[in-house]
């Protein structure tokens, strides 16, 4: 799968980056491509491009707060989960998404 997404937590520090790291490592282990934008106290990092979004099979938003820019994903398959789900079992989440989307 080609995955893009956003990671964001209430403080915008620890869980944001842990969620991103867990998603990236799980996706790589499962041979998926992934690009995760972070939104936190220092602003947006690794911002997704229109090209990244257009090429994606699915968008994952791992967030405990309202994220900015969700309108960019209109027409895309969107999965929204709290950061603790991604941190606890990222591979299971990706496998479930892949099975449900038939990819």
């Amino acid at each position: 799968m080609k995955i893009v997404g956003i990671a964001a937590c209430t403080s915008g520090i620890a869980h944001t980056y842990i969620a991103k790291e867990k998603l990236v490592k799980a996706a790589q282990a499962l041979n998926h491509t992934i690009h995760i934008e972070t939104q936190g106290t220092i602003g947006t990092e690794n911002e997704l491009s229109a090209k990244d979004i257009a090429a994606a099979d699915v968008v994952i938003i791992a967030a405990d707060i309202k994220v900015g820019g969700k309108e960019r994903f209109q027409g895309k398959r969107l999965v929204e989960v709290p950061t603790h789900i991604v941190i606890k079992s990222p591979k299971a989440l990706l496998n479930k998404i892949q099975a449900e989307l038939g990819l």
Side-chain angles (χ1 to χ4, degrees):
M1 288 188 298
K2 292 182 181 176
I3 305 162
V4 296
I6 298 173
C9 70
T10 52
S11 64
I13 304 171
H15 288 99
T16 299
Y17 295 101
I18 295 168
K20 176 186 175 180
E21 182 181 340
K22 294 277 190 172
L23 274 174
V24 169
K25 285 185 177 181
Q28 290 171 342
L30 297 168
N31 295 313
H32 301 305
T33 60
I34 189 164
H35 183 145
I36 301 294
E37 171 181 304
T38 57
Q39 294 184 10
T41 55
I42 60 172
T44 299
E45 294 183 302
N46 299 313
E47 189 168 357
L48 298 168
S49 70
K51 185 177 177 182
D52 293 329
I53 296 166
D57 296 310
V58 65
V59 178
I60 299 173
I61 297 180
D64 303 320
I65 58 170
K66 184 177 178 183
V67 296
K70 280 175 55 174
E71 68 281 351
R72 299 176 287 170
F73 309 124
Q74 191 170 10
K76 296 305 255 183
R77 296 170 178 155
L78 181 67
V79 176
E80 296 187 67
V81 295
T83 57
H84 73 88
I85 298 290
V86 170
I87 292 168
K88 211 178 257 188
S89 51
K91 282 186 183 177
L93 174 66
L94 294 179
N95 286 330
K96 182 178 180 183
I97 292 169
Q98 186 172 17
E100 288 182 7
L101 298 180
L103 299 172

